Amino acid sequence: MPDIKVKVKIVTNQSINPDADSTAEFPMRNWNIEVHPIDDKKETISSQLFEKVTFDLHPSFEKRAKQVKKEFPYRIEEEGWGEFEMLVTFTPLGKSPDISIPHDLNFAKNHYEVEKELVFKNPKADFLRALEEAGVGKKGDAKKRSRKEKTVDLEKLADLMMKLGEDDLLHVIQLIHDKKESTTYTKNSPDQGEYEVDLYTLPDGLVKELWEFVLEKAKS
């Protein structure tokens, strides 16, 4: 499956605590961070794209060093006197792999925004649907996915294909090669003995044919 790219804007606000000792070299500060997924026009996407966003702070925060937020805008609020680099981990909807990126907490400005691009490999259906509902990605592809999901369990199809014998698997690869469309994603790496295919991009008739074939082989 092609990689899916999602942009996020990490917004940081900080200010000196009004009750802090004004003569201190490093006064105590109040700070907060929010994560805003954004579209191609840099508009905020308020839809739920992530199951959670995890912030790994400096170890000196002890019990608060790991903070998990499950609702937009995934906001954390803290206080402290030191700058540090934290790790922000994004867990997308479904079973897609997590992505972690660094974020620098600094006190050079009271307000600053940083844009990051997240690249998700092999995203799952729940995440793809959420992106489509949020207006991100190709609508045609998402409609095609939704249509196939109602008639064929693609995850089960993939699982059954992995259990095929070598001859049957070669037959499946030949079927895909012969009947794929221009929008079908495949990647053949014969040197490594690997063949990749995005089942969601296969034409409906081919999906049905593959499904019937693997079910028949599973019974034998």
Side-chain angles (χ1 to χ4, degrees):
M1 172 174 294
D3 296 343
I4 296 296
K5 299 179 180 179
V6 178
K7 293 182 178 179
V8 297
K9 179 171 61 177
I10 302 179
V11 182
T12 305
N13 291 286
Q14 66 86 21
S15 61
I16 295 177
N17 188 320
D19 298 326
D21 181 358
S22 59
T23 63
E25 183 179 2
F26 301 106
M28 191 66 69
R29 297 172 182 263
N30 297 325
W31 54 266
N32 62 72
I33 295 176
E34 294 182 356
V35 174
H36 296 207
I38 56 177
D39 59 22
D40 293 337
K41 298 180 181 179
K42 298 189 177 183
E43 297 290 335
T44 296
I45 301 170
S46 57
S47 304
Q48 190 81 10
L49 299 182
F50 307 112
E51 288 187 4
K52 60 183 179 180
V53 176
T54 304
F55 299 84
D56 285 298
L57 309 183
H58 192 273
S60 61
F61 283 85
E62 297 180 346
K63 293 182 179 180
R64 305 194 313 278
K66 182 181 289 292
Q67 300 192 26
V68 178
K69 302 298 177 181
K70 296 184 177 181
E71 295 183 358
F72 176 84
Y74 313 102
R75 177 187 176 96
I76 63 170
E77 296 185 46
E78 274 296 344
E79 64 175 9
W81 55 265
E83 302 173 327
F84 62 92
E85 184 178 80
M86 68 183 69
L87 196 66
V88 184
T89 300
F90 297 83
T91 303
L93 294 173
K95 299 179 181 179
S96 302
D98 293 351
I99 288 183
S100 298
I101 59 173
H103 176 63
D104 179 43
L105 173 69
N106 66 77
F107 302 143
K109 297 180 180 179
N110 288 343
H111 173 91
Y112 60 97
E113 302 177 359
V114 179
E115 290 186 13
K116 299 279 189 177
E117 184 175 74
L118 312 177
V119 181
F120 294 93
K121 297 181 181 296
N122 300 318
K124 303 301 182 182
D126 289 347
F127 186 45
L128 293 170
R129 276 196 295 268
L131 289 172
E132 168 60 16
E133 292 171 0
V136 180
K138 297 180 179 179
K139 295 183 178 180
D141 289 348
K143 290 178 180 177
K144 185 182 291 186
R145 293 184 185 104
S146 297
R147 195 164 56 246
K148 290 193 180 86
E149 286 166 2
K150 292 179 181 178
T151 57
V152 173
D153 185 336
L154 293 182
E155 291 191 5
K156 185 174 182 180
L157 173 59
D159 181 61
L160 290 173
M161 286 172 60
M162 293 295 293
K163 296 177 181 178
L164 291 173
E166 184 177 355
D167 290 343
D168 292 332
L169 194 55
L170 288 174
H171 176 71
V172 165
I173 292 174
Q174 189 63 47
L175 275 177
I176 294 172
H177 178 75
D178 293 342
K179 300 185 178 183
K180 66 181 181 179
E181 296 179 343
S182 59
T183 55
T184 299
Y185 173 81
T186 61
K187 181 180 178 181
N188 190 17
S189 304
D191 293 341
Q192 301 177 10
E194 295 180 353
Y195 183 85
E196 297 179 27
V197 58
D198 178 2
L199 297 179
Y200 291 104
T201 64
L202 295 178
D204 291 338
L206 179 54
V207 169
K208 184 178 180 181
E209 186 173 353
L210 292 173
W211 179 248
E212 292 173 350
F213 177 77
V214 298
L215 284 181
E216 181 180 350
K217 293 299 177 179
K219 295 176 182 178
S220 61

